[in-house]
Amino acid sequence: MPGKRGGYLQGYNIQIVCARRQFLLAIEAHDNPSDRTALVPMVKKTQHNHQAARLPGDIQLWLADSGYASAASFEDLADLPLLVPVTSDADQAGFPAKRQQAPAGQQDMAARLATPTGRAQYRQRSALVEPGFAQIFQRFGRHLNYRGRQAVDAEIKLLGTVHNINQLINHTPKKNP
């Protein structure tokens, strides 16, 4: 993987899918520094986990940042309620976009996000997934103890499980007034 300060590191791009309260629905090691090719596999893994856990209903809304934007992914996931910025995340937050026009094959997604409902729904993304990463990194650090795809996969799934157990233990139900 390309390093942040140049050069290369032996590492993986960790992907997570979070629900409310940063509960992890999926955690995977991705061997590509770009998130663009991770969207479809992460959705499929999350759907598998959702079915395996026998959770009722379907996931109501899928949110991903602009790094996951890809016409091929949008085509593969056309049947899902999916929102992914195609210009930039800043545009969804009300700041000037880095790119003004949606790339070819991504205009439908841009139109969905341009609605008041799309903007309001997308604003939820950072509060769902970013704290999940922050909590995992704060609790376990940014370095793994094992090398090799299978060992890394087992370690991150164990860390994700511990994270979810902690979320369950520390969860305080809302009190009805």
Side-chain angles (χ1 to χ4, degrees):
M1 302 287 283
K4 287 185 178 183
R5 293 175 186 86
Y8 292 89
L9 345 147
Q10 181 179 356
Y12 293 95
N13 184 352
I14 303 300
Q15 303 288 322
I16 63 174
V17 176
C18 290
R20 287 189 179 103
R21 297 179 196 89
Q22 295 79 44
F23 192 82
L24 301 185
L25 301 175
I27 185 167
E28 295 290 323
H30 185 60
D31 57 6
N32 188 323
S34 171
D35 293 337
R36 190 164 302 194
T37 59
L39 184 59
V40 173
M42 289 306 292
V43 165
K44 300 293 184 204
K45 185 64 176 182
T46 303
Q47 290 172 324
H48 169 80
N49 292 347
H50 189 268
Q51 286 179 328
R54 292 186 169 86
L55 296 173
D58 292 327
I59 295 173
Q60 300 299 307
L61 182 62
W62 297 85
L63 304 169
D65 69 36
S66 61
Y68 293 90
S70 138
S73 294
F74 297 161
E75 188 176 316
D76 287 348
L77 303 172
D79 60 326
L80 295 179
L82 173 68
L83 294 174
V84 180
V86 295
T87 53
S88 75
D89 292 307
D91 184 44
Q92 297 309 310
F95 299 104
K98 294 176 191 170
R99 183 179 345 134
Q100 297 299 319
Q101 298 297 320
Q106 299 182 18
Q107 290 83 7
D108 288 345
M109 183 63 68
R112 232 183 290 166
L113 279 159
T115 66
T117 301
R119 285 185 183 279
Q121 288 175 325
Y122 187 77
R123 271 190 232 115
Q124 300 172 50
R125 190 203 67 80
S126 64
L128 293 171
V129 73
E130 300 306 335
F133 272 119
Q135 290 164 15
I136 289 170
F137 292 153
Q138 191 242 349
R139 187 171 292 123
F140 306 114
R142 290 183 166 266
H143 300 281
L144 299 173
N145 296 306
Y146 297 96
R147 298 290 177 252
R149 182 65 183 225
Q150 280 187 303
V152 165
D153 191 54
E155 185 174 359
I156 64 163
K157 285 181 173 46
L158 177 62
L159 297 177
T161 301
V162 170
H163 169 81
N164 280 348
I165 290 169
N166 189 56
Q167 293 299 97
L168 290 170
I169 289 170
N170 292 322
H171 173 66
T172 306
K174 290 182 182 177
K175 295 178 182 176
N176 293 332

